[in-house]
Amino acid sequence: MIEITDLHKKYSRNFVALKGLNLLLDNRVSTIIGRNGAGKTTLLRILSTQLYPTKGTAIIEGYDIIKETRKVRSIISSIPQEAQPIGILSPMEQIKLYLIARGFTAQQAGKEARFALDELDMDEFRNSPSDTLSGGMKRKMFVAMALASNSDVIFLDEPTTGLDPLSRMEVWSAIKRLKSKIILTTHYMDEAQELSDFVAVMDQGDVISRGTIKEILKAFDGKMRAERIDGETYDIKVGNIAVKYIDKSKVDEFLRMGYDIKQVNLNDVFLTRGMNLES
Ligand SMILES: Nc1ncnc2c1ncn2[C@@H]1O[C@H](COP(=O)(O)OP(=O)(O)OP(=O)(O)O)[C@@H](O)[C@H]1O
Ligand SMILES: [Mg+2]
């Protein structure tokens, strides 16, 4: 369990990236979703003890990230958003090195590394220098590294950004088969939906909604999103696209007015922030 209490992060005198965040993460896979700059990476870096909060703390599996940093480090693995491999090392060497640094024997490390690379369908590239891998392959290598660690808690910051659809599915399937607790960030609604029961939606340094996707979308029960370029009826305008949330009974009426009708999804949580949908 991860218990986050009143977490603040101030990067400068007038910029606050986390604004007193309170969050309980108790599912096997928890997803943090949010737009660019919402504070996801800041949160993950604090939880994985790479960055000090300005105020507040978090308890991970009973250990305080500030007072028991070493304990926390011994039970977690973290793959940063901008992770880059050491170019001359192959995925196999890279993962083995990481595991040995974490206390695995060389033999154990080799076994776990091979298993994790196999799981992500990276056998073919196992011994190639990382410099020669594509960007997506490098990301997958890091996911394999986290998986191989068998840590109690694994933090994955945007594990599938830049991956092709097949590679994304391989990463998802590996995540699903793991026993570790996973906290991941993403921009993708389908990823959140596929992997986790619990989703926290972040915006501007705070959690604006949390729960199952169903619970989060409760405010939209019975509604559809109607969109039309330069439409005259709207709740919000995104660029020149008019967006209106309508009752299902009004679908025909809006179709006649030339609107496209779409299902609501987690994107709408951001779009409608602070809006009253009753009208
Ligand atoms: N080291 C830093 N110094 C100053 N400001 C920072 C620093 N790191 C992040 N920020 C700012 O804090 C805010 C949150 O950044 P963060 O990287 O946590 O967002 P994010 O949700 O991970 O975004 P993305 O989806 O783009 O990865 C942003 O406005 C960012 O510019
Ligand atoms: Mg980020």
Side-chain angles (χ1 to χ4, degrees):
M1 179 160 65
I2 300 184
E3 241 179 306
I4 302 166
T5 314
D6 195 31
L7 207 62
H8 285 75
K9 180 66 192 180
K10 210 170 171 176
Y11 278 120
S12 66
R13 204 147 55 92
N14 42 23
F15 185 73
V16 184
L18 296 181
K19 302 171 181 164
L21 206 127
N22 292 291
L23 186 62
L24 195 69
L25 302 171
D26 198 19
N27 288 58
R28 225 238 345 128
V29 182
S30 305
T31 304
I32 297 167
I33 198 160
R35 303 164 53 189
N36 291 130
K40 305 180 295 297
T41 296
T42 301
L43 175 61
L44 253 55
R45 291 189 65 207
I46 291 174
L47 293 178
S48 56
T49 73
Q50 298 164 57
L51 191 68
Y52 266 117
T54 312
K55 195 180 146 201
T57 192
I59 311 289
I60 301 185
E61 304 295 324
Y63 302 120
D64 188 309
I65 54 165
I66 295 168
K67 295 194 201 116
E68 294 161 291
T69 308
R70 288 169 68 106
K71 283 275 192 198
V72 170
R73 285 185 186 155
S74 72
I75 60 161
I76 65 165
S77 290
S78 166
I79 301 301
Q81 184 171 5
E82 315 294 353
Q84 280 298 329
I86 300 169
I88 53 167
L89 297 185
S90 70
M92 191 68 192
E93 291 166 330
Q94 192 110 354
I95 296 176
K96 271 181 76 174
L97 201 63
Y98 176 75
L99 295 181
I100 288 167
R102 294 186 61 101
F104 285 62
T105 64
Q107 198 191 4
Q108 245 181 332
K111 194 170 142 235
E112 295 295 340
R114 200 164 296 127
F115 178 80
L117 288 167
D118 186 40
E119 186 87 343
L120 286 153
D121 208 17
M122 286 193 65
D123 264 0
E124 205 184 318
F125 305 99
R126 196 200 298 169
N127 297 315
S128 315
S130 298
D131 265 346
T132 66
L133 300 180
S134 73
M137 281 294 164
K138 288 179 190 161
R139 287 289 316 140
K140 272 171 63 173
M141 194 277 294
F142 280 109
V143 174
M145 187 184 262
L147 304 192
S149 73
N150 285 314
S151 301
D152 294 346
V153 180
I154 297 179
F155 297 99
L156 300 171
D157 199 354
E158 295 189 29
T160 68
T161 298
L163 295 192
D164 68 56
L166 188 64
S167 300
R168 285 181 78 204
M169 285 174 71
E170 281 160 10
V171 170
W172 290 353
S173 127
I175 288 175
K176 282 187 202 163
R177 266 179 285 165
L178 274 178
K179 297 205 173 57
S180 313
K181 255 184 206 151
I182 300 202
I183 317 297
L184 68 94
T185 71
T186 188
H187 293 129
Y188 305 116
M189 312 299 142
D190 57 339
E191 184 155 302
Q193 199 128 22
E194 180 77 25
L195 291 176
S196 58
D197 300 327
F198 185 87
V199 178
V201 183
M202 276 188 79
D203 198 28
Q204 294 173 22
D206 207 351
V207 174
I208 58 167
S209 188
R210 69 192 78 198
T212 62
I213 290 182
K214 207 166 162 218
E215 285 162 356
I216 290 173
L217 294 180
K218 201 159 174 46
F220 298 93
D221 267 358
K223 304 246 182 219
M224 304 288 280
R225 184 173 68 238
E227 291 179 7
R228 189 191 153 171
I229 291 173
D230 293 331
E232 278 166 19
T233 311
Y234 56 86
D235 291 320
I236 16 165
K237 277 201 117 171
V238 183
N240 63 349
I241 303 175
V243 180
K244 174 88 182 159
Y245 294 90
I246 58 168
D247 277 332
K248 286 190 173 143
S249 60
K250 293 196 173 162
V251 164
D252 284 343
E253 181 186 327
F254 275 79
L255 278 173
R256 277 198 297 276
M257 286 157 64
Y259 280 73
D260 281 338
I261 307 294
K262 304 197 170 146
Q263 298 280 351
V264 291
N265 62 35
L266 288 176
N267 282 322
D268 297 290
V269 178
F270 305 116
L271 282 179
T272 58
R273 200 177 168 195
M275 232 174 69
N276 180 6
L277 288 176
E278 288 314 304
S279 56

